[in-house]
Amino acid sequence: MSPSGVRGKFITVEGQDGAGKTTNLGQIERVIRASGYEVLRTREPGGTPLGDTIRGLVLHGGNLDIDPMAELLLIFAARAQHLNAVIRPALTAGMWVVCDRFTDATYAYQGGGRGMDVGVIGEIEQSVQQDLRPNLTLLFDVDIATGAERAGERSGHDRFESEEAAFKGRVRDAYLARARAEPDRIRVIDAVGSLDRVQGAVESIMREYIDSLR
Ligand code: Z5A
């Protein structure tokens, strides 16, 4: 059941760096629009002026020596602003919100990658989000080498892309564990294949979800 006042659907897109999330956002939006719904696309950390400022710190503050707890709280500070200024109002207005990363990323990167206590993450999640959780999450899964190769084609690596392969392995494992725990919400897409195949999988998951609402 949706939280009170929420009329739209909240779709999130997850995966390790280079998995192909951003590449597939347009496809997700197209399927939703073709079904007659309005879509707002956003991302985390970010989505508001405060969130974008925090994004700059968390991704590019390499010289700041950011403590893992400080990183976790910065991400949730950005999320609180994003939820209250952008996501909840859009959902209340009946729009579908498609968000490039959300709290599953916190469990994967801060929980899996940095080793932060997932119980603490859950408590902050509950305080910040209350009863709001994504309705559907598409998890783009690639092996570490493929993700690094794809992300490596861009110039300038952020604080997470610069982490060692073991960190990225823990991030991937944490994502897959969450998908096993919530298979109805989190749909895993094998994103190693060609873009055509991946887009076909995206389209069929989105259509199946939209059909399930009718
Ligand atoms: N973070 C966090 O720690 N905790 C949190 O709670 C949240 C976030 C919300 C945000 O980065 C960072 O914040 C993130 C975790 C942290 N760190 N990292 N790294 P982001 O999400 O903005 O950026 P990103 O993850 O680095 O995104 P990305 O590298 O752009 O990945 P992507 O969006 O999944 O990939 P892409 O840009 O769509 O594709 C990468 C390249 O691969 C591109 O050249 C494509 O053309 C190519 N590509 C894509 N699909 C294919 C296929 N199927 N075949 C061949 N080539 C492909």
Side-chain angles (χ1 to χ4, degrees):
M1 197 167 68
S2 296
S4 65
V6 165
R7 295 192 295 124
K9 297 293 175 197
F10 185 27
I11 313 295
T12 60
V13 177
E14 298 281 0
Q16 66 214 63
D17 22 318
K21 300 177 308 304
T22 313
T23 305
N24 286 285
L25 284 170
Q27 170 84 349
I28 295 169
E29 276 187 73
R30 267 192 299 281
V31 179
I32 298 171
R33 284 214 170 87
S35 302
Y37 303 105
E38 269 190 87
V39 185
L40 175 81
R41 187 203 286 204
T42 186
R43 68 172 180 180
E44 289 217 347
T48 67
L50 176 64
D52 284 332
T53 303
I54 291 174
R55 181 186 178 88
L57 291 174
V58 170
L59 268 66
H60 303 295
N63 56 340
L64 291 175
D65 188 21
I66 302 174
D67 177 81
M69 179 57 88
E71 179 181 278
L72 177 67
L73 294 173
L74 281 168
I75 283 169
F76 270 113
R79 184 162 298 141
Q81 186 75 13
H82 193 201
L83 276 170
N84 293 324
V86 176
I87 296 176
R88 278 188 192 278
L91 292 172
T92 302
M95 296 179 80
W96 285 40
V97 175
V98 176
C99 192
D100 191 344
R101 295 192 186 279
F102 194 63
T103 305
D104 291 304
T106 313
Y107 282 99
Y109 283 83
Q110 281 63 51
R114 300 263 189 253
M116 298 293 292
D117 183 335
V118 293
V120 171
I121 296 174
E123 284 170 16
I124 307 173
E125 175 186 34
Q126 187 57 36
S127 299
V128 169
Q129 296 171 215
Q130 302 187 1
D131 52 356
L132 188 71
R133 300 289 184 278
N135 296 102
L136 175 70
T137 297
L138 277 64
L139 171 58
F140 291 85
D141 180 55
V142 290
D143 58 275
I144 306 304
T146 303
E149 189 185 322
R150 289 183 187 166
E153 285 165 13
R154 285 183 311 232
S155 57
H157 284 184
D158 65 37
R159 285 177 62 247
F160 300 96
E161 289 166 341
S162 309
E163 287 287 349
E164 57 191 14
F167 176 96
K168 294 177 184 184
R170 293 194 298 277
V171 168
R172 183 185 186 202
D173 290 347
Y175 267 134
L176 292 173
R178 288 186 69 72
R180 282 193 297 277
E182 287 188 71
D184 290 341
R185 173 177 69 88
I186 305 180
R187 304 292 305 273
V188 181
I189 293 171
D190 176 359
V192 177
S194 71
L195 195 50
D196 274 0
R197 263 191 52 194
V198 173
Q199 289 191 330
V202 167
E203 173 143 3
S204 90
I205 290 170
M206 289 307 302
R207 287 201 185 288
E208 186 190 310
Y209 176 69
I210 292 166
D211 288 348
S212 76
L213 301 173
R214 293 188 167 140

